[in-house]
Amino acid sequence: MNLFNLRRSTPSLDDLAADNFLPSRSDNLSSECLMPSVERPKQIFVRGQGSWLWDSDDRAYLDFSQGGGANSLGHSPSVLVNAITAQAQSLINPGFGLHNRGMLNLAERLCVSTGSDQAYLLNSGSEACEAAIKLARKWGQLHRGGASRIIVAKKGCHGRSLGTIPASDSSTLTNRFEPQLPGFSHVPFNDLAALHAAVDARTVAIMLEPIQNEAGVIPATELYLKGVERLCRELGILLIFDEVQTGVGRLGTLLAEQSYGVRADIVVLGKGLGGGVPLAALLARGKACCFDIGELMGTHHGNALMTAAGLAVLDSVQDKGFLEHVRETGQHLREGLARLTHRYGHGEVRGQGLLWGLTLSEDSADAVVKAAMYEGLLLDAPQADCLRFTPALTVSKANIDEMLLRLARAFSRVRTAQLQCRKGIAV
């Protein structure tokens, strides 16, 4: 089957304005019983392979979101399918209170690969970030006179649990779930002086994303992260890197800290670690290793099925030439996006490896995402003026070129709609 022949026919501008996204003709399933969460298109997706997804009407979509980067090896890669299938046939979850081979193997692989001393396996990035907060506060009780305050960056995102909302710049959520967990100070990102000024006797740690994902793919500068590391060492406080988005090869290195030449005391992994299976990890080094028995628990933490997936992902990412492929295709994607943004008068392209953000000339990201879906392209928009690209780490240059063609058509469609609106033409 030639996937390039499956491009959708061009819809009218009336369709774009009305958000009439061709609901499935063959599925009668309803979302009425789902609690509200996020706005989802009407299509129901039934299968995927690599960089492609198909809906229940057998329409093909090129996926450059991949679950926000969770599907690190793409949809249903054979290495992951085979590992999960084999594991499910022998053991899925022996119980949290018992060892299994996958749990022990994955913890050891993560420690050896990242130069960490201890690892703990969880289900999600939010859980792992919350565990990092607990670990830092436990360390503060033991080694810093009970200090518990953690400095975080404005516009950062470390999760949506009650424990991580106050650590994130979640201005739309903070007033809905009061009272908040106290103990966080927010300072501007990439501002070392502001960070230094915020440290006091109550400070136990600094927690940062090397690249702010939800803020619109905003990278830390190398000077900033090295300055933060030096500050933590001089003041005797912990450095926590939230690498839920940037870890496991996304930037062309196993961890983002390697590309910056810095080293944290605590590292959080998630998203791509499981390749689409719920899996996250908390890594601790040296003095930060201070949890005792009974302080971390979870029914599915480190279960055999999840860890089989994690080991399969690590095997792939650490295979010879894999990270070089990420760097090469990432450069190809960056260059293509730069050409498009110049052609259509948009803003800058930010990111590294296969994590990129493209700022738009106005708040039209939602319209572009919808127009792209008409063209059979799946994207997401973390901000009203920014598109985000998190394709599979296995994406090909041909897939990238096809994506750029579809994105160009989406840009043209939105621009035409905007021009007609400005001329007073109903669309």
Side-chain angles (χ1 to χ4, degrees):
M1 179 185 297
N2 186 347
L3 294 173
F4 296 157
N5 291 334
L6 297 177
R7 295 173 181 164
R8 304 274 299 282
S9 59
T10 303
S12 69
L13 290 173
D14 291 334
D15 291 334
L16 181 59
D19 193 18
N20 181 22
F21 280 91
L22 298 175
S24 170
R25 295 183 295 272
S26 59
D27 250 313
N28 294 320
L29 296 173
S30 169
S31 62
E32 291 182 1
C33 291
L34 282 176
M35 286 187 182
S37 174
V38 297
E39 290 188 15
R40 295 182 175 95
K42 298 173 183 177
Q43 287 90 335
I44 298 173
F45 291 92
V46 296
R47 60 189 175 95
Q49 188 64 55
S51 290
W52 295 88
L53 268 177
W54 284 263
D55 67 17
S56 54
D57 286 327
D58 209 32
R59 302 188 191 102
Y61 300 80
L62 185 56
D63 187 359
F64 265 62
S65 169
Q66 292 286 349
N71 305 324
S72 49
L73 304 182
H75 292 285
S76 300
S78 58
V79 64
L80 191 60
V81 171
N82 293 339
I84 292 173
T85 300
Q87 187 60 54
Q89 289 172 341
S90 60
L91 182 66
I92 293 176
N93 188 359
F96 173 69
L98 303 173
H99 282 136
N100 67 75
R101 287 176 174 171
M103 173 194 292
L104 299 176
N105 285 339
L106 183 56
E108 182 179 6
R109 282 282 299 277
L110 286 171
C111 286
V112 171
S113 299
T114 65
S116 302
D117 296 306
Q118 292 181 346
Y120 183 77
L121 306 172
L122 309 95
N123 306 133
S124 70
S126 289
E127 260 195 307
C129 284
E130 197 163 294
I133 293 167
K134 291 168 66 176
L135 181 58
R137 290 185 172 180
K138 171 71 182 298
W139 183 85
Q141 292 175 6
L142 296 175
H143 303 292
R144 197 165 163 80
S148 62
R149 184 168 293 276
I150 297 175
I151 300 175
V152 295
K154 292 181 178 179
K155 298 184 179 180
C157 181
H158 303 289
R160 290 292 184 266
S161 68
L162 278 177
T164 55
I165 285 177
S168 307
D169 197 356
S170 308
S171 56
T172 60
L173 297 176
T174 50
N175 293 326
R176 303 184 193 180
F177 310 115
E178 296 288 354
Q180 289 187 58
L181 181 70
F184 298 93
S185 299
H186 295 258
V187 299
F189 191 53
N190 274 329
D191 188 334
L192 192 58
L195 191 61
H196 199 162
V199 177
D200 59 24
R202 300 171 299 165
T203 304
V204 70
I206 296 171
M207 184 174 185
L208 299 170
E209 301 164 272
I211 295 180
Q212 289 192 318
N213 183 45
E214 292 297 320
V217 191
I218 301 175
T221 66
E222 183 175 331
L223 182 65
Y224 174 69
L225 281 195
K226 287 187 173 179
V228 173
E229 180 189 28
R230 184 170 58 252
L231 178 65
C232 288
R233 302 295 173 254
E234 291 174 353
L235 299 180
I237 59 178
L238 298 177
L239 176 57
I240 305 171
F241 281 158
D242 176 353
E243 293 222 34
V244 168
Q245 181 69 63
T246 58
V248 199
R250 176 58 59 180
L251 302 190
T253 51
L254 187 61
L255 298 179
E257 66 170 20
Q258 296 167 339
S259 69
Y260 280 94
V262 295
R263 181 173 170 82
D265 301 294
I266 299 171
V267 177
V268 178
L269 300 178
K271 287 190 182 292
L273 179 60
V277 172
L279 180 63
L282 174 67
L283 307 179
R285 295 158 173 169
K287 62 183 180 180
C289 299
C290 63
F291 269 140
D292 290 321
I293 290 175
E295 293 177 338
L296 281 178
M297 292 186 181
T299 301
H300 299 288
H301 289 178
N303 80 52
L305 191 67
M306 292 160 48
T307 53
L311 286 165
V313 169
L314 272 186
D315 284 342
S316 296
V317 171
Q318 295 184 303
D319 198 17
K320 183 179 179 181
F322 187 96
L323 293 175
E324 179 62 29
H325 168 83
V326 172
R327 293 190 288 269
E328 288 181 0
T329 51
Q331 178 69 9
H332 189 70
L333 175 56
R334 188 199 69 80
E335 292 171 354
L337 291 174
R339 290 193 299 270
L340 276 188
T341 192
H342 177 73
R343 183 191 311 170
Y344 289 92
H346 290 305
E348 64 177 327
V349 178
R350 300 186 295 249
Q352 187 177 327
L354 285 171
L355 171 61
W356 294 97
L358 190 160
T359 57
L360 304 177
S361 57
E362 50 191 317
D363 292 351
S364 59
D366 185 57
V368 174
V369 168
K370 291 174 179 176
M373 194 161 198
Y374 270 126
E375 303 297 341
L377 173 62
L378 301 178
L379 300 174
D380 58 36
Q383 296 291 321
D385 65 345
C386 181
L387 300 175
R388 179 173 55 199
F389 304 82
T390 52
L393 302 183
T394 54
V395 70
S396 67
K397 290 183 178 180
N399 286 155
I400 291 171
D401 291 340
E402 178 67 13
M403 183 280 295
L404 294 169
L405 289 173
R406 296 181 185 216
L407 181 58
R409 293 199 294 269
F411 280 154
S412 295
R413 181 164 300 286
V414 171
R415 173 167 290 182
T416 300
Q418 290 171 333
L419 289 173
Q420 291 190 352
C421 285
R422 289 165 185 161
K423 293 177 180 178
I425 303 173
V427 296

